[in-house]
Amino acid sequence: MDGLGDPDKWLEGVASAKVADFAGEAEAQDAGTLKDYTEDRRVALVACLAAKARMRARDDVATMFCTRMAAKAKKAREELAEIRRQQQEIVEALIGNYRTLLQQVDQEGPAQRARARASALTKDALDALEGLDEESAASEVADRLGGKVSPAFLLLAEGLMVQSNGLGSLLSAVDGLGGFEAQYAQIEKVSAHHGDNWEVLLHGHLKPTVR
């Protein structure tokens, strides 16, 4: 259509309603009836028809473009939904792992029992070896411990203290996040909607029937 020329220049100053009328009239004719028109009117009708066809072609191209872009956008949204679904699975796994970690270091967990045991052993060792340092003779250490443990006990005692302090740092981090109860509550809140579990939300949308 553009190859025929620029209808906007042909029809400059002509009312759009008149262009539409002439285009409709030309569209209703065929070659046999158009030849009955005067040349000037025939040219005017054909020019208006060309302008309408050009406009329609551009509208069709725009419509096809919008349709294509809508399809691409739909695929992109579907891809994003799949990514979010996969990420949700990862989040759920991480939440489960974090729950297990909290349970290990909670008050009743094995880590707490190990910490208590380590603290007790450390205290016993420090009490027994009070006043000694790494330069102390092995015989002096043995005398303090009744000859039952080697000087390596000093390193063991230090290791127990480091272990206890390390667990203490972990507990402090949990406390900084609100404590164990707050963390468990957040986990339960998120876990309630794991997967596609929408049933738990159904109750809130059910209204009692008014009689």
Side-chain angles (χ1 to χ4, degrees):
M1 296 305 302
D2 288 339
L4 296 176
D6 187 358
D8 292 337
K9 292 183 178 180
W10 306 341
L11 303 173
E12 186 176 358
V14 180
S16 58
K18 179 62 69 174
V19 173
D21 288 343
F22 277 14
E25 183 178 349
E27 197 169 18
Q29 309 303 317
D30 56 27
T33 56
L34 277 176
K35 70 178 182 180
D36 296 333
Y37 287 87
T38 64
E39 183 176 357
D40 289 345
R41 186 169 181 82
R42 183 167 58 249
V43 170
L45 291 177
V46 172
C48 292
L49 180 62
K52 180 179 179 181
R54 184 169 179 258
M55 184 181 302
R56 183 182 298 163
R58 288 184 172 181
D59 288 344
D60 290 343
V61 170
T63 300
M64 286 188 292
F65 175 77
C66 292
T67 301
R68 185 175 181 83
M69 290 305 299
K72 297 295 184 182
K74 180 181 179 182
K75 289 183 178 180
R77 287 193 296 268
E78 291 173 349
E79 183 178 358
L80 177 60
E82 176 61 20
I83 292 174
R84 287 177 174 172
R85 186 192 66 78
Q86 295 175 359
Q87 290 178 339
Q88 182 63 25
E89 292 179 353
I90 296 174
V91 169
E92 291 174 8
L94 291 174
I95 289 174
N97 294 340
Y98 185 49
R99 186 206 301 271
T100 301
L101 175 61
L102 287 178
Q103 292 171 343
Q104 293 290 323
V105 299
D106 202 355
Q107 294 182 0
E108 302 300 326
Q112 287 285 7
R113 294 192 294 270
R115 184 193 185 200
R117 179 62 175 163
S119 297
L121 290 174
T122 301
K123 184 178 184 304
D124 292 343
L126 293 177
D127 289 345
L129 302 175
E130 184 177 1
L132 295 179
D133 55 32
E134 60 184 15
E135 301 296 330
S136 299
S139 59
E140 186 176 359
V141 176
D143 288 341
R144 291 285 187 94
L145 300 175
K148 296 179 180 179
V149 183
S150 71
F153 189 82
L154 280 173
L155 294 177
L156 176 60
E158 183 180 355
L160 290 173
M161 180 63 76
V162 171
Q163 180 187 42
S164 180
N165 290 339
L167 183 56
S169 298
L170 177 59
L171 296 175
S172 297
V174 175
D175 289 338
L177 296 173
F180 284 94
E181 289 188 7
Q183 292 295 284
Y184 285 135
Q186 290 182 357
I187 288 174
E188 293 304 322
K189 184 176 181 180
V190 175
S191 299
H193 305 293
H194 276 183
D196 193 26
N197 188 14
W198 55 268
E199 290 87 349
V200 295
L201 302 174
L202 183 60
H203 178 74
H205 296 280
L206 296 178
K207 297 181 180 180
T209 303
V210 180
R211 296 182 178 180

